[in-house]
Amino acid sequence: MSSADRPSPLDACRKDRVYLGADHARNERRTWIVTAICTVTLVAQIAGGLVFRSMALTASGLHMAGHVAAMATAAVAYGLARRWASDPRFAFGTGKLGYLAGFANAVVLAVIAVLIAVESLGRLRAPEVVDYDSALPLAVAGLAVTVVCVLLLRPARGLHDHDKDGYDKDGDLNISAAHLHLSADAAVSMLAIAGLAAGRQLGWAWADPAAGLAGAALVAQFAVSLIRRGSAALLDINPSPALAAEIRARLEAADARVLDLHLWRLGPGHFALVGVVAAPPGTTAEALRARLHGLAALSHVTLELRSGREAGHGPH
């Protein structure tokens, strides 16, 4: 092989920065498909509202606009992460772009929950006349579209699935946030249908806003869960105490001692490790790294080796 054919150290470093999830391409493709479905539905509902002078259709279209924005945010994050995956400006790759998008969508969900709750409380205090015959078919049609999108966005790995080494529980937060966004809407739609049906059949005017309050509580629960997971990744909170304990146990075999250890998330299924280890004379960094063999989630490992006599002078 000529020198021109050999990969340069810079190329190796760029490759080392690629920390995209195993299902990145699949999730990006499906998110764009759902964005297109929501956009077509949005245009049809707004056009129908204008042509038929239906406020219900127009309002449904404006509601769908929120889904389009959320799905487009997720899809663009996937595209940018892929495009800039090897960009040297990103010290640890672009794997966290999806967490940023997921966090943003979680905040939007929280705002939606507050708006639904405020509107529902207002209607409980001052009930409005509901055109049940028009609202029910519209709610059912909206639910049907949402369910199709929910099925398309179902993560390939469940929210609590483990990766190959059994330690990564978070998976891809971007697809999870998009999926939960639409799942929350589907749940709210089902509650709305139940409330509308009760109002139509039993004359319970309070059933519709009560269903809205229940939906707001459910959406808020989804939002809080996603915000906690997203902020944990973005703030580099230890993503897996169990993995950190396993790393420490492996490194401290044969009289070595871990003086300092930092573990953080780089992207879905990817962790970075920086550690300082005091070991007996003759121990090499390569030997320490070999002890971590088999921990597939460790995508970036930096170890500082100190001699055993320094063990009492480092940070603990």
Side-chain angles (χ1 to χ4, degrees):
M1 179 185 292
S2 67
S3 59
D5 296 326
R6 296 192 191 99
S8 69
L10 179 58
D11 291 334
C13 289
R14 286 174 177 168
K15 185 177 180 181
D16 187 51
R17 291 190 179 95
V18 179
Y19 302 121
L20 304 182
D23 304 310
H24 188 94
R26 169 203 181 268
N27 293 343
E28 179 181 0
R29 182 173 60 255
R30 293 197 175 202
T31 306
W32 278 118
I33 291 172
V34 170
T35 302
I37 292 173
C38 290
T39 301
V40 170
T41 305
L42 160 67
V43 172
Q45 288 176 335
I46 294 294
L50 294 175
V51 171
F52 301 117
R53 301 180 183 275
S54 169
M55 189 59 217
L57 273 175
T58 302
S60 184
L62 293 175
H63 176 70
M64 186 60 70
H67 296 332
V68 172
M71 297 306 105
T73 298
V76 169
Y78 279 123
L80 293 178
R82 173 177 46 81
R83 179 178 179 182
W84 294 335
S86 300
D87 193 320
R89 293 178 298 173
F90 296 90
F92 288 101
T94 56
K96 282 189 178 179
L97 269 175
Y99 290 86
L100 184 60
F103 182 85
N105 277 335
V107 172
V108 171
L109 266 183
V111 173
I112 289 173
V114 172
L115 293 177
I116 293 174
V118 170
E119 179 66 18
S120 298
L121 287 172
R123 294 199 177 193
L124 275 175
R125 290 194 299 266
E128 296 184 8
V129 177
V130 178
D131 184 353
Y132 295 112
D133 291 335
S134 298
L136 268 170
L138 189 61
V140 172
L143 175 60
V145 172
T146 303
V147 168
V148 170
C149 294
V150 167
L151 293 175
L152 283 171
L153 285 182
R154 184 177 180 182
R157 303 159 194 264
L159 294 183
H160 302 290
D161 284 354
H162 299 300
D163 278 351
K164 289 180 290 183
D165 54 29
Y167 290 107
D168 188 7
K169 297 181 180 180
D170 271 343
D172 189 333
L173 185 69
N174 195 18
I175 195 72
S176 295
H179 180 258
L180 283 180
H181 185 105
L182 291 175
S183 296
D185 185 69
V188 171
S189 295
M190 287 188 285
L191 288 170
I193 290 171
L196 289 169
R200 179 183 180 185
Q201 300 299 324
L202 303 174
W204 295 349
W206 53 266
D208 183 51
L213 279 177
L218 186 61
V219 172
Q221 183 180 0
F222 285 163
V224 170
S225 174
L226 288 171
I227 287 173
R228 290 179 63 183
R229 289 174 55 200
S231 58
L234 295 173
L235 294 174
D236 293 329
I237 292 175
N238 185 345
S240 177
L243 178 58
E246 174 69 15
I247 292 169
R248 183 179 292 273
R250 291 192 182 198
L251 291 177
E252 290 187 337
D255 297 327
R257 188 152 74 93
V258 174
L259 304 179
D260 199 14
L261 188 148
H262 300 276
L263 182 70
W264 69 96
R265 182 179 299 280
L266 298 172
H270 296 282
F271 293 145
L273 167 69
V274 171
V276 180
V277 183
T283 304
T284 64
E286 289 73 16
L288 290 176
R289 291 176 65 92
R291 297 178 187 180
L292 303 178
H293 180 72
L295 298 178
L298 287 182
S299 301
H300 187 99
V301 177
T302 301
L303 294 175
E304 178 184 340
L305 177 60
R306 296 186 182 179
S307 63
R309 61 177 176 272
E310 297 179 77
H313 303 287
H316 294 272

